[in-house]
Amino acid sequence: ANIDLLASHSGSNLDFSTTLLLAHDNVATNLSSPSFPPFFNDLLANLDLSQHPITTILASYCLVTAADMVPFVPCQPLAIALGAKLGFALAFPITAIGQTTAGILAFSAARKASDTDLAREAFELNPEAVQKLEELRTLTSAEEQGDGKILLALIGLRLAPFFPFSAGNYLLGGTTAVPLRLYVLATLMGCIASNFLSVTIGAGGAMIFSTSDNLFL
């Protein structure tokens, strides 16, 4: 709405302070309410740390965990939104732990499903495909590669922008033999690094907007 208002004044002499205020209101709204499905937007809007601190923390944790279990859904927008909404000190551990929890649940579910005969029948794997899968699992086992090499590879994948976090959890759980303990450690380290950046952006942006609001009061 503010962008439309700004565009409607494009032919008039709009002073700098008014332009800045209009742009600020629009960006601040987008920062705290990014493009999520309606359910997520409603839940974010209803988070009230001052009135319901425990409920807000638990709801935020569950929101992060649920969102990060959906394949190909980006994790960063929600972390930025929570950083703007809750502040860095609270949003950072919530997002890091929630994202790690999502990774563990997805990894474990995929690992369990891929080990069943029903799953192999469902995907109609031929003997050659099954053999290739077993070879891949052998190559990614700790006995074959060693803990240190696997851990470094997993950390690299967790931080790589081309490797999707949510879909990668299912892929690593269902097609490799990497140990759960190494996967959890690498995922936690990757989540700490990525969420530190995303939450900092959100919290920092909210702080800048709050400061600018005070300047114009």
Side-chain angles (χ1 to χ4, degrees):
N2 288 324
I3 290 297
D4 294 336
L5 181 60
L6 186 60
S8 68
H9 287 80
S10 59
S12 60
N13 294 324
L14 199 64
D15 61 79
F16 175 75
S17 61
T18 304
T19 304
L20 184 59
L21 278 172
L22 289 172
H24 154 260
D25 290 343
N26 183 75
V27 175
T29 300
N30 290 336
L31 181 64
S32 59
S33 300
S35 180
F36 291 121
F39 169 76
F40 289 106
N41 279 329
D42 292 342
L43 189 53
L44 275 172
N46 290 326
L47 293 178
D48 190 343
L49 186 61
S50 60
Q51 296 295 326
H52 308 287
I54 302 300
T55 302
T56 297
I57 292 172
L58 292 177
S60 299
Y61 167 76
C62 292
L63 180 62
V64 172
T65 301
D68 288 344
M69 288 189 69
V70 181
F72 302 109
V73 171
C75 314
Q76 294 83 1
L78 182 56
I80 293 174
L82 288 175
K85 186 84 173 180
L86 305 179
F88 178 86
L90 193 57
F92 175 56
I94 288 175
T95 54
I97 296 173
Q99 197 175 40
T100 302
T101 303
I104 294 171
L105 292 175
F107 179 92
S108 300
R111 173 71 50 93
K112 185 175 182 180
S114 66
D115 286 337
T116 64
D117 293 334
L118 181 61
R120 297 186 181 188
E121 293 178 4
F123 289 106
E124 299 180 350
L125 295 180
N126 57 43
E128 184 179 355
V130 173
Q131 182 181 357
K132 293 294 184 181
L133 181 60
E134 294 300 332
E135 290 176 358
L136 176 61
R137 288 182 173 175
T138 300
L139 290 173
T140 55
S141 65
E143 292 78 11
E144 181 74 18
Q145 301 295 338
D147 288 356
K149 192 173 182 179
I150 290 180
L151 180 61
L152 289 176
L154 287 173
I155 293 174
L157 287 175
R158 296 286 76 173
L159 296 176
F162 59 82
F163 191 75
F165 178 86
S166 52
N169 296 325
Y170 295 101
L171 181 64
L172 290 171
T175 62
T176 72
V178 297
L180 177 61
R181 56 187 173 80
L182 296 180
Y183 170 82
V184 171
L185 180 58
T187 298
L188 179 60
M189 295 174 68
C191 290
I192 287 174
S194 62
N195 283 290
F196 179 86
L197 179 60
S198 297
V199 174
T200 298
I201 293 173
M207 186 179 299
I208 291 173
F209 293 141
S210 176
T211 302
S212 64
D213 278 339
N214 294 331
L215 290 175
F216 288 105
L217 288 179

